[in-house]
Amino acid sequence: GLGFNIVGGTDQQYVANDNSIYVSWIKKDGAAYLDGRLQEGDKILAINGKDLKDLRHKDAVELFRNAGYHVSLKIQRRLQPQNGPVSHRGDGDSGGLPLAAILVPGLALAATAVWILLRYRQRM
């Protein structure tokens, strides 16, 4: 197979008020995983030029099963959460503080120190 599972369709909406087909799981070492472009949560708009809009889940599954060896997918990347992390943990990201959280207070402290130094020098 293609190495991933799908959810959605007119009869099994994955997202409320949306009949689209979505990638729910990518099999490790499967074709999609090895290709590296498809991600869980991606919306699949078309397969081999065939629009997946307003299909029942089983009809979409049938299109994927009969796709052949050369498969072309048109996808829409999922939106990242507005208030959550953008990258996945475990990819070398320590998850620490953003650089701005360190630089802004540090620059403010340095500016204050320079101002105090200049004021001190004027008095001498």
Side-chain angles (χ1 to χ4, degrees):
L2 300 173
F4 63 92
N5 290 354
I6 59 171
V7 292
T10 58
D11 56 336
Q12 297 180 18
Q13 289 184 344
Y14 178 66
V15 174
N17 301 315
D18 184 355
N19 295 329
S20 301
I21 303 298
Y22 291 86
V23 176
S24 63
W25 177 75
I26 297 178
K27 179 183 178 187
K28 187 168 174 116
D29 297 328
Y33 178 87
L34 294 173
D35 177 76
R37 290 179 283 181
L38 196 63
Q39 296 179 10
E40 291 177 3
D42 287 349
K43 181 189 292 191
I44 304 177
L45 305 174
I47 180 168
N48 293 339
K50 295 178 186 172
D51 192 0
L52 298 182
K53 187 176 182 180
D54 296 325
L55 286 180
R56 292 181 301 174
H57 181 79
K58 71 175 191 170
D59 296 330
V61 169
E62 197 62 31
L63 283 175
F64 283 92
R65 284 192 177 140
N66 296 320
Y69 290 106
H70 299 283
V71 177
S72 172
L73 298 177
K74 182 178 179 183
I75 66 157
Q76 179 180 334
R77 185 72 63 215
R78 68 174 180 264
L79 295 175
Q80 295 293 340
Q82 294 297 320
N83 58 353
V86 175
S87 63
H88 298 286
R89 299 288 182 232
D91 59 1
D93 182 12
S94 66
L97 291 173
L99 186 57
I102 298 168
L103 286 180
V104 172
L107 289 174
L109 183 61
T112 303
V114 168
W115 182 80
I116 291 171
L117 180 63
L118 291 174
R119 294 284 300 206
Y120 178 75
R121 281 188 160 181
Q122 285 178 353
R123 291 184 182 184
M124 292 186 88

